[in-house]
Amino acid sequence: MNAETIRHDWTVEETEQLLKLPFNDLLFRAQSIHRQFFDPNAVQVSTLLSIKTGACPEDCAYCPQSSRYSTGVQRERMMEVEAVIEKAKAAKAAGSDRFCMGAAWRSPHERDMPYVLAMVKGVKALGLETCMTLGMLDEGKASDLAEAGLDYYNHNLDTSPEFYGDIITTRTYADRLDTLSNVRNAGMKVCSGGILGMGESHRDRAGLLVQLANLPAHPDSVPINQLVKVSGTPLENEADLDPLDFIRTIAAARIMMPKSHVRLSAGREEMSEEMQAMCFFAGANSIFYGECLLTTPNPAANKDQALFAKLGINTQHQVTEAPQELDDLLTPEAPNNALFYDASQSSAVQ
Ligand code: SAM
Ligand code: DTB
Ligand code: SF4
């Protein structure tokens, strides 16, 4: 595919327009683009594990693990390496292909690094893809993790630069962009997205998408979280997000970052099957699988399996080669000729 088809010059204004398109037009465009790059019936599944829970010094207003809020999340020590590897084995047996380890840290301490690196090596040795989310990384720690074999690093921008200060004061937007740059320069794949439903405006959602799409390379993985409202956090009484706006944002992420995996991330426990189906139609092709996110519930694996079976979704690795140019699909006059993914190229089965 040709480099010009992947854009890094999105403006907030045009993204706001994209988000406001008639719903059917927006979803048609998103699904059409999705089919150029991915098997439309395949969803990648990752399992999450909290390797260090609670007592985080940061003040992220959405987070049950911040030490500043009384949420009932108990402080726990970092898990033993062996225990993490046992959890990874179980995740693999349950059908996950990526294991994501999260820690309630501002950034990892030097003293924790040997254990963290041993976890990466041990999980990778099981044949799983590895992902970590440990807070901010400097160049040195990013390169140590990359050398240990870490495939992905998750670090979210969370929201627009303008709304960010209403949500987090203990680290800046620039700090987050620096971490993403260190991860990218160390050669790891970037996983970065945000949260919807924190009281942000439509323009803030456009602003978040523009920040992600205009990074030097699109994140390989873009988690779109719906706020999980946890009692005790400043956002516990936030108004419910309109589900259609959530689906619209997934569709816009798919259109703006055509080759990225868009992850329907936190918040699925609150979503109907129909809503999740619409998110997959809008271009989401990754989920967290297993009954717990970090500290909050996620749908049980058998519930997800039942939904996948109803939707004819399989969970194999995806095809990412573009068969044709994207330009036509990025205009409202999109032709119908790119609609059909050639399923014969995929051997995926449930
Ligand atoms: N402490 C590290 C950090 O913040 O970079 C890594 C773990 S942190 C829990 C990872 C991400 O989870 C956050 O950036 C945020 O986007 C998401 N998250 C946390 N609490 C959430 C909630 N209540 N609802 C939705 N997403 C949430
Ligand atoms: C992401 O974007 N969402 C995940 C993962 N990256 C680490 C975390 C969601 C956390 C939801 C709240 C909790 O379970 O504590
Ligand atoms: Fe800490 Fe991460 Fe939660 Fe922020 S999101 S309070 S950094 S665990």
Side-chain angles (χ1 to χ4, degrees):
M1 82 165 275
N2 149 355
E4 290 86 57
T5 58
I6 297 287
R7 289 182 50 193
H8 296 272
D9 60 353
W10 289 90
T11 66
V12 175
E13 286 67 29
E14 73 177 318
T15 304
E16 277 188 287
Q17 292 306 317
L18 190 62
L19 286 166
K20 275 195 226 157
L21 280 176
F23 191 75
N24 287 342
D25 289 344
L26 178 61
L27 260 68
F28 177 80
R29 281 173 68 181
Q31 173 68 195
S32 304
I33 286 173
H34 191 56
R35 282 168 183 261
Q36 285 205 300
F37 293 93
F38 293 104
D39 174 347
N41 302 309
V43 167
Q44 182 273 332
V45 298
S46 296
T47 298
L48 255 183
L49 175 70
S50 180
I51 61 166
K52 161 70 186 81
T53 304
C56 182
E58 301 292 281
D59 70 352
C60 313
Y62 48 76
C63 187
Q65 304 203 67
S66 168
S67 62
R68 297 167 195 240
Y69 317 130
S70 298
T71 63
V73 170
Q74 298 299 313
R75 170 189 210 131
E76 286 172 24
R77 294 164 58 116
M78 182 166 60
M79 285 177 72
E80 302 280 344
V81 176
E82 277 310 314
V84 171
I85 291 166
E86 285 309 311
K87 292 278 189 188
K89 279 185 194 161
K92 186 174 181 190
S96 236
D97 53 26
R98 191 176 310 159
F99 194 65
C100 180
M101 296 159 266
W105 288 328
R106 173 177 166 80
S107 56
H109 287 294
E110 211 55 70
R111 63 172 183 268
D112 298 317
M113 285 304 285
Y115 303 101
V116 164
L117 298 177
M119 289 173 195
V120 173
K121 288 178 186 156
V123 173
K124 211 171 161 67
L126 300 176
L128 281 164
E129 288 183 316
T130 50
C131 175
M132 283 189 158
T133 180
L134 313 172
M136 294 188 285
L137 286 187
D138 59 23
E139 281 179 28
K141 291 198 179 77
S143 102
D144 291 347
L145 285 165
E147 260 175 45
L150 187 64
D151 298 301
Y152 289 81
Y153 196 80
N154 166 245
H155 197 67
N156 290 338
L157 293 178
D158 279 345
T159 190
S160 69
E162 294 75 21
F163 188 59
Y164 182 86
D166 289 19
I167 302 295
I168 299 144
T169 69
T170 48
R171 75 173 75 150
T172 65
Y173 212 80
D175 289 333
R176 290 186 185 254
L177 292 168
D178 283 348
T179 291
L180 294 184
S181 150
N182 293 335
V183 169
R184 203 168 40 243
N185 293 340
M188 288 181 285
K189 292 181 183 154
V190 170
C191 171
S192 188
I195 307 179
L196 307 185
M198 301 192 292
E200 74 284 349
S201 64
H202 292 268
R203 191 171 173 83
D204 290 317
R205 285 179 206 142
L208 167 67
L209 291 173
V210 165
Q211 288 291 322
L212 293 166
N214 291 353
L215 287 168
H218 290 169
D220 298 89
S221 176
V222 180
I224 306 292
N225 296 277
Q226 175 174 279
L227 175 70
V228 179
K229 292 181 232 174
V230 178
S231 300
T233 63
L235 299 183
E236 64 175 319
N237 295 319
E238 207 46 61
D240 281 345
L241 180 69
D242 182 336
L244 296 176
D245 284 340
F246 186 90
I247 298 164
R248 282 176 176 278
T249 309
I250 296 256
R254 165 53 61 228
I255 292 166
M256 295 167 74
M257 294 169 277
K259 292 178 86 176
S260 306
H261 276 81
V262 175
R263 181 170 304 127
L264 174 55
S265 197
R268 288 198 303 117
E269 182 73 347
E270 303 293 318
M271 294 178 194
S272 67
E273 290 192 335
E274 294 87 337
M275 171 158 177
Q276 293 183 62
M278 286 302 269
C279 289
F280 296 132
F281 186 72
N285 59 349
S286 171
I287 59 160
F288 285 120
Y289 185 62
E291 63 197 28
C292 190
L293 291 166
L294 291 172
T295 66
T296 64
N298 198 42
N302 61 2
K303 216 172 149 193
D304 281 340
Q305 279 161 9
L307 176 59
F308 286 168
K310 282 199 235 181
L311 299 177
I313 282 176
N314 63 69
T315 55
Q316 267 209 349
H317 286 290
Q318 335 247 309
V319 174
T320 52
E321 273 310 302
Q324 66 179 81
E325 296 306 318
L326 253 187
D327 298 36
D328 289 346
L329 288 164
L330 292 169
T331 67
E333 301 76 41
N336 291 356
N337 62 359
L339 277 180
F340 302 102
Y341 172 82
D342 180 0
S344 66
Q345 291 178 12
S346 165
S347 58
V349 280
Q350 167 75 14

